[in-house]
Amino acid sequence: MNLISSEIPGLVWAYRFLPGENRCLPIAADAPIDSLQDGKGWVWLHLALSDARTPALIERIGNLPPAAIATLTSHDTQAAITATEDAVHGTLVDFERTFDAVTKTIGWLHFAVSDRIIITTRLHPLRSIDRVKAAIEKNAKCTRPIDLFEMLVIEFQRTLITLVLELTEELNVIEDRVYGEAGHRKQPGLAPLRRTAVRLHRHLRTILALLRRAGASDEDEVPPGFIDAAERLSDRLEAVDRDVFALQERARLLHEEIDSKISSETNRHLYILSLMTAFLLPPTLVTGFFGMNTGALPFSGGSGTLYAGLMIAASMVLAWLILRRIGIL
């Protein structure tokens, strides 16, 4: 990220795509801002919202509508896609990454696409967009900014497939523990797994609904090529959403199984406690009777303790017989 240049503050990277060529030219961090608007082809500009100067830069370039500028500079955490005659803008879900590892933390990518420029902004580094950058450096097969937008969503879909496979492996391990000998008392990985699956399903359903609604617009109401891209992306995301929903259902059923096992174990403990109470109640009555501080008690002679012990044992046997007769034991 460029934190020194006063021309393009907050710049993460920028590329110029030339017409008729399968390559893109990187734009230097110290290049003048006019170089973004002049020249052939179109430009992809990726900016970091952590730089406070980024909103002012976005207002100077791109000739974007005010709604698109507001989207690029916002910190919204809800998926959104809005298509107008001149531009497509919104917020997409992605996954954050650190310098040396990828995470399962959900991040947000803000974008705006016009016929001459595509601008993306983010607060934290994201996993999918880095893969898009690596792909276009090898082969810049995007002829229009809307093609790059489609590539962004496709890379998110591929990242999501990888994450679903990882979550499935984790769920398999938890299932083996629950149904095996390891028990079910402690399953710390199930709650975050369910939370991730629920959030992904919710955001995916939102993106799918927005893509279908935008794809249902007339061709003169959206930028060229957007309707076809929306239909292709809807088919891709629909397949992934089914996998996420299936994972969510598996996690829910496993959680119910754990609750059922815990409930059964609790009932068994209460059952044992009730039996202990039933066995000890008659001896308690016997000891309470012989422990009364009154005169002329039975067996108060020298053999009273022996007789009291025999009565305690007999009362326990009687309680056992009664419980067995009525079917509790």
Side-chain angles (χ1 to χ4, degrees):
M1 182 186 0
N2 178 25
L3 299 176
I4 301 176
S5 174
S6 59
E7 290 291 333
I8 314 179
L11 177 67
V12 182
W13 64 69
Y15 291 95
R16 177 174 296 279
F17 295 78
L18 301 176
E21 298 185 17
N22 291 333
R23 64 187 183 93
C24 57
L25 302 177
I27 299 176
D30 56 352
I33 193 172
D34 295 337
S35 63
L36 300 177
Q37 299 172 318
D38 300 335
K40 298 180 181 181
W42 53 278
V43 173
W44 176 24
L45 187 63
H46 186 51
L47 304 172
L49 292 176
S50 55
D51 194 320
R53 301 169 295 173
T54 299
L57 171 67
I58 295 175
E59 292 179 357
R60 295 176 55 190
I61 60 177
N63 297 324
L64 297 172
I69 296 176
T71 298
L72 289 172
T73 57
S74 69
H75 294 272
D76 291 340
T77 57
Q78 293 293 333
I81 297 177
T82 303
T84 62
E85 183 179 355
D86 300 327
V88 178
H89 59 89
T91 302
L92 297 175
V93 62
D94 203 338
F95 299 98
E96 297 181 3
R97 66 164 182 83
T98 58
F99 290 104
D100 55 351
V102 295
T103 69
K104 298 176 184 176
T105 304
I106 292 180
W108 301 95
L109 177 69
H110 311 283
F111 69 92
V113 185
S114 66
D115 59 340
R116 291 275 298 171
I117 192 172
I118 174 172
I119 301 177
T120 54
T121 61
R122 50 78 171 164
L123 186 61
H124 302 287
L126 302 175
R127 190 191 308 189
S128 299
I129 199 166
D130 288 342
R131 294 170 61 177
V132 174
K133 174 178 178 290
I136 65 169
E137 287 179 346
K138 293 180 180 179
N139 184 12
K141 54 185 177 181
C142 302
T143 59
R144 299 170 299 178
I146 199 68
D147 297 332
L148 182 59
F149 163 74
E150 184 176 0
M151 184 181 292
L152 289 172
V153 181
I154 290 175
E155 285 299 331
F156 163 70
Q157 180 233 4
R158 292 172 179 170
T159 301
L160 191 57
I161 291 175
T162 303
L163 181 63
V164 168
L165 294 177
E166 294 174 0
L167 294 178
T168 301
E169 290 297 327
E170 294 182 9
L171 190 60
N172 292 339
V173 173
I174 296 175
E175 283 183 343
D176 292 339
R177 292 175 180 173
V178 171
Y179 293 107
E181 299 179 356
H184 54 273
R185 296 176 179 274
K186 295 182 180 180
Q187 298 299 336
L190 184 59
L193 188 150
R194 292 189 67 199
R195 183 167 56 250
T196 301
V198 169
R199 293 182 65 188
L200 286 178
H201 180 64
R202 182 174 68 247
H203 295 312
L204 273 174
R205 297 308 304 176
T206 302
I207 294 175
L208 280 170
L210 293 171
L211 283 174
R212 291 194 183 102
R213 184 174 63 185
S217 305
D218 295 333
E219 293 186 358
D220 56 350
E221 296 177 353
V222 295
F226 177 73
I227 293 180
D228 294 337
E231 292 177 353
R232 291 190 295 267
L233 293 176
S234 297
D235 294 338
R236 282 177 169 268
L237 294 179
E238 182 69 35
V240 181
D241 183 62
R242 288 194 294 266
D243 294 338
V244 174
F245 180 74
L247 183 67
Q248 179 183 348
E249 286 297 304
R250 281 187 61 194
R252 181 182 63 83
L253 293 175
L254 185 59
H255 185 268
E256 292 178 356
E257 179 67 22
I258 293 175
D259 287 343
S260 176
K261 286 180 174 290
I262 293 176
S263 179
S264 299
E265 186 175 352
T266 302
N267 293 335
R268 185 170 60 86
H269 291 167
L270 291 175
Y271 173 73
I272 295 174
L273 182 61
S274 300
L275 291 180
M276 292 178 62
T277 303
F279 280 122
L280 295 178
L281 183 59
T284 302
L285 294 176
V286 175
T287 55
F289 175 76
F290 283 98
M292 292 187 299
N293 190 17
T294 58
L297 287 174
F299 316 119
S300 58
S303 300
T305 301
L306 176 61
Y307 292 133
L310 293 175
M311 291 184 63
I312 290 174
S315 65
M316 294 181 67
V317 173
L318 180 62
W320 180 82
L321 291 174
I322 294 175
L323 292 175
R324 187 176 180 84
R325 182 66 180 269
I326 62 179
I328 295 179
L329 291 177

